[in-house]
Amino acid sequence: MWKSCLSRYRWFVVLASVLVCLAIVGTRVSMWRQIAAARQSLSSGHPEIALPVLRSSAASAPDNAEVHYLLAVAERRSGHLDRVSSPLQRAEKLGWPKEDIERQALLVVTQNG
């Protein structure tokens, strides 16, 4: 009797552990896929396609520097120069390379004329 209960309990613990791991990994894989799709849209010259994905990603992953940096790039390339500063500053605070931040800031100045 005890062995049967213990065996069921172990299977329950194993199943619960697997489900928790899948939830964690699934979230990261989903974020990775969104970033990859946004990068593809940006590299193919379609920042307007990347914008909704990146805005959603920035809201769901506020501590992801790459998402904020790519959002700033997409906003700039879409011509929304007034929306570049906030995600660019956020990316900088989160540790994105300073050279990339400065390059995007200079490109905004250039686009503004």
Side-chain angles (χ1 to χ4, degrees), residues 4-52:
S4 175
C5 286
L6 191 57
S7 178
R8 284 187 204 147
Y9 178 75
R10 284 182 185 162
W11 278 110
F12 176 75
V13 169
V14 168
L15 180 61
S17 300
V18 167
L19 290 176
V20 168
C21 289
L22 285 175
I24 293 168
V25 170
T27 302
R28 290 183 185 209
V29 169
S30 174
M31 180 61 63
W32 176 81
R33 290 182 70 214
Q34 289 177 347
I35 291 171
R39 281 189 170 279
Q40 178 63 35
S41 296
L42 287 171
S43 68
S44 64
H46 300 287
E48 66 282 352
I49 295 172
L51 276 173

Side-chain angles (χ1 to χ4, degrees), residues 24-101:
I24 293 168
V25 170
T27 302
R28 290 183 185 209
V29 169
S30 174
M31 180 61 63
W32 176 81
R33 290 182 70 214
Q34 289 177 347
I35 291 171
R39 281 189 170 279
Q40 178 63 35
S41 296
L42 287 171
S43 68
S44 64
H46 300 287
E48 66 282 352
I49 295 172
L51 276 173
V53 172
L54 290 168
R55 287 177 182 151
S56 171
S57 296
S60 63
D63 294 334
N64 188 314
E66 183 178 15
V67 169
H68 290 282
Y69 176 76
L70 291 176
L71 177 58
V73 170
E75 294 284 13
R76 183 188 59 75
R77 290 183 183 176
S78 295
H80 305 134
L81 302 179
D82 56 323
R83 297 182 193 163
V84 175
S85 177
S86 179
L88 206 57
Q89 288 173 355
R90 183 77 177 136
E92 183 178 23
K93 286 179 185 175
L94 292 170
W96 196 256
K98 198 157 193 78
E99 300 82 27
D100 291 344
I101 301 292

